[in-house]
């Protein structure tokens, strides 16, 4: 990849399917320091490789003999990644979640900056990772969390307090401009995992919800998923299942034609209560007001900007009432106001430049010469 500064990113998921943060951060840092980026991704069979159309970014898939998220698959990925890093000798290393932290135990090359991009809970792969995190903490230069409460709780639990930390919202680098209100299709959209317990899939089969025009996109998962798929494909009044979420950045173009976006999931654990859903920020960027459950980050931003509707709780009754409130606003001045406030929230705070600037400020302190190659970015 030439003699320019190299950014390496170890991604615990195949990129391009809805978790763009690792790829976007790699691309932004490459542009900022005038370098190149290589993303080493897991080989998820259900997610074929997607092309990355950027001259400074390459993606390389590391195949494992078993599921990359099984214990053995994780070990295989880390061993391959370590070997590649010893050869590549990157200046910046990004670790997406705790998945690839074992690489740091035996990596002899020391990048100038090692970033832990903690998108998911730190102990996703088991409580034994707590000891691992504490062993490698002194090799970490920067922590990036998507939510304030998560940053505080995880840093305290894993003894990471004192390390440079940034709260960077899960915004996307590339966005689709909002469609005029007159061009909207009058429908609601949900995009993401469809699971009875985790994302209230059963709500969409209820009589109360079936009277609303809702399109569902996503992987149907969980107990009884085959039966759930059959019921959703059969339809329930206005509710329609439309298949998988389009990859490669195409979902935003689809999303922008809807009136409201549904952002709801079960707050059954600390990390799901203090979650920072990608689709929440993507909806706002597209000018599609979210209908969100009262998770702290959603409540904070909807109350700050008035850019969506906040459900009173996670019950079916609250979900139904939120849909009813949204439905009667379509075609009224109130709906236009919600769309306008989405745009204001995006322009003022919930955009890539504003969020990435937080990372740049920290890196300017950690490695001030590294980012001087291209101070204006890409």
């Amino acid at each position: 990849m030439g003699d320019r500064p190299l950014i390496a990113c170890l991604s615990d998921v195949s990129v391009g399917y809805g978790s763009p943060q690792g790829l976007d951060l790699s691309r932004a840092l490459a542009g900022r320091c005038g370098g190149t980026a290589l993303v080493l991704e897991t080989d998820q069979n259900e997610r074929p490789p997607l092309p990355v159309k950027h001259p400074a970014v390459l993606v390389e898939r590391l195949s494992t003999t078993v599921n990359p998220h099984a214990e053995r698959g994780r070990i295989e990925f880390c061993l391959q990644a370590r070997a590649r890093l010893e050869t590549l000798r990157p200046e910046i290393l990004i670790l997406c979640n705790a998945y690839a932290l074992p690489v740091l135990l035996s990596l002899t090359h020391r990048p100038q900056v090692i970033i832990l991009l903690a998108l998911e809970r730190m102990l996703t792969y088991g409580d034994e990772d707590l000891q691992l995190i504490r062993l490698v903490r002194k090799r970490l230069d920067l922590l990036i969390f998507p939510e304030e409460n998560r940053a505080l709780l995880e840093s305290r639990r894993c003894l990471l307090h004192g390390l440079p930390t940034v709260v960077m919202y899960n915004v996307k680098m590339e966005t689709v401009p909002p469609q005029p209100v007159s061009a909207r299709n009058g429908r609601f959209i949900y995009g993401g995992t469809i699971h009875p317990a985790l994302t209230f899939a059963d709500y969409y089969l209820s009589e109360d919800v079936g009277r609303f025009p809702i399109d569902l996109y996503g992987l149907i998962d969980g107990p009884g998923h085959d039966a759930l798929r059959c019921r959703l494909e059969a339809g329930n009044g206005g509710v329609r299942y439309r298949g998988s979420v389009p990859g490669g950045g195409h979902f935003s173009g689809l999303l922008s034609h809807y009136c409201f976006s549904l952002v709801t999931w079960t707050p059954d654990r600390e990390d799901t209560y203090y979650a920072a859903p990608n689709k929440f920020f993507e909806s706002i960027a597209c000018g599609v007001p979210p209908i969100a459950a009262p998770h702290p980050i959603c409540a904070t931003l909807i109350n700050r900007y008035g850019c969506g509707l906040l459900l009173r709780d996670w019950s079916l009754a609250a979900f139904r009432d939120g849909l009813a409130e949204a439905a009667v606003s379509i075609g009224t001045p109130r709906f236009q106001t919600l769309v306008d406030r989405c745009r204001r929230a995006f322009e003022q705070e919930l955009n890539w430049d504003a969020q990435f600037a937080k990372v740049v400020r920290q890196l300017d302190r950690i490695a001030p010469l590294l980012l001087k190659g291209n101070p204006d970015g890409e």
Side-chain angles (χ1 to χ4, degrees):
M1 301 181 72
D3 297 326
R4 296 185 291 166
L6 175 65
I7 295 92
C9 174
L10 306 185
S11 176
D12 62 335
V13 295
S14 302
V15 299
Y17 287 91
S19 296
Q21 289 81 7
L23 183 63
D24 283 353
L25 183 60
S26 301
R27 175 178 165 182
L29 289 172
R32 181 75 189 190
C33 67
T36 54
L38 174 66
V39 179
L40 302 176
E41 67 173 0
T42 54
D43 185 6
Q44 295 178 280
N45 290 333
E46 69 276 17
R47 292 179 166 183
L50 291 175
V52 176
K53 299 177 182 179
H54 193 277
V57 181
L58 294 178
V59 176
E60 180 178 321
R61 180 165 283 218
L62 301 183
S63 297
T64 54
T65 58
V66 297
N67 186 306
H69 296 114
E71 182 179 3
R72 178 179 161 189
R74 181 187 183 189
I75 293 171
E76 289 182 20
F77 179 90
C78 289
L79 288 173
Q80 292 182 65
R82 176 192 173 276
R84 293 292 286 129
L85 294 175
E86 296 288 19
T87 300
L88 295 167
R89 302 180 68 81
E91 282 79 9
I92 299 177
L93 173 61
I94 304 166
L95 304 173
C96 294
N97 299 312
Y99 177 80
L101 279 177
V103 168
L104 301 184
L105 292 172
S106 58
L107 186 65
T108 59
H109 166 66
R110 178 61 163 97
Q112 289 191 50
V113 178
I114 298 177
I115 300 172
L116 177 58
L117 183 59
L119 299 173
E120 305 294 341
R121 65 188 178 112
M122 299 286 278
L123 305 184
T124 296
Y125 300 98
D127 289 344
E128 64 273 11
D129 276 356
L130 181 59
Q131 185 62 30
L132 170 63
I133 294 166
R134 292 176 175 180
L135 283 172
V136 302
R137 67 174 299 279
K138 292 184 179 179
R139 302 204 73 180
L140 301 174
D141 299 297
L142 179 62
L143 308 175
I144 300 177
F145 291 96
E147 203 267 356
E148 289 87 348
N149 297 285
R150 288 257 310 279
L152 178 63
L153 293 167
E154 298 277 34
S155 294
R156 180 184 302 152
R157 177 182 302 119
C158 300
L159 300 183
L160 297 172
H161 44 271
L163 291 175
T165 301
V166 168
V167 175
M168 181 180 184
Y169 292 147
N170 281 341
V171 299
K172 293 180 66 174
M173 177 180 283
E174 293 182 341
T175 59
V176 172
Q179 291 289 328
V181 167
S182 60
R184 307 295 175 100
N185 61 14
R187 298 184 65 83
F188 302 83
I189 185 172
Y190 170 83
T193 300
I194 301 172
H195 189 287
L198 301 181
T199 58
F200 305 116
D202 291 342
Y203 286 6
Y204 298 104
L205 298 172
S206 73
E207 183 177 351
D208 282 346
V209 174
R211 61 190 178 92
F212 294 101
I214 303 171
D215 289 343
L216 306 175
Y217 292 85
L219 176 69
I220 298 175
D221 198 6
H225 62 273
D226 289 334
L228 176 60
R229 174 184 290 276
C230 290
R231 294 183 66 188
L232 288 174
E233 287 179 342
N236 176 34
V239 178
R240 306 183 303 195
Y241 176 60
R242 307 301 297 271
S244 299
V245 173
H250 298 297
F251 182 73
S252 290
L254 177 72
L255 170 64
S256 65
H257 288 86
Y258 283 80
C259 287
F260 286 94
S261 172
L262 300 170
V263 185
T264 56
W265 66 97
T266 307
D268 60 342
R269 297 187 313 235
E270 175 186 293
D271 59 305
T272 53
Y273 179 65
Y274 294 120
N278 295 335
K279 294 297 186 294
F280 177 78
F281 296 98
E282 190 172 5
S283 298
I284 291 172
C286 290
V288 178
I291 302 172
H295 296 266
I297 196 169
C298 299
T300 295
L301 294 173
I302 287 178
N303 288 333
R304 180 181 300 168
Y305 292 104
C307 57
L309 301 181
L310 196 64
L311 303 180
R312 64 177 179 271
D313 56 42
W314 291 266
S315 66
L316 172 58
F319 188 69
R320 175 203 62 210
D321 292 346
L323 290 171
E325 180 183 356
V328 298
S329 75
I330 296 174
T332 71
R334 186 190 181 196
F335 179 67
Q336 180 67 64
T337 297
L338 287 169
V339 172
D340 292 343
R341 288 175 176 174
C342 283
R343 199 60 190 170
R344 185 181 69 180
F346 172 78
E347 291 174 349
Q348 290 186 3
E349 182 180 9
L350 307 183
N351 63 78
W352 178 264
D353 288 344
Q355 296 301 313
F356 182 57
K358 304 175 187 178
V359 176
V360 171
R361 285 194 291 270
Q362 287 289 350
L363 291 179
D364 276 339
R365 299 186 184 101
I366 297 167
L369 298 179
L370 190 57
L371 301 186
K372 301 304 181 184
N374 185 14
D376 296 325
E378 296 185 285

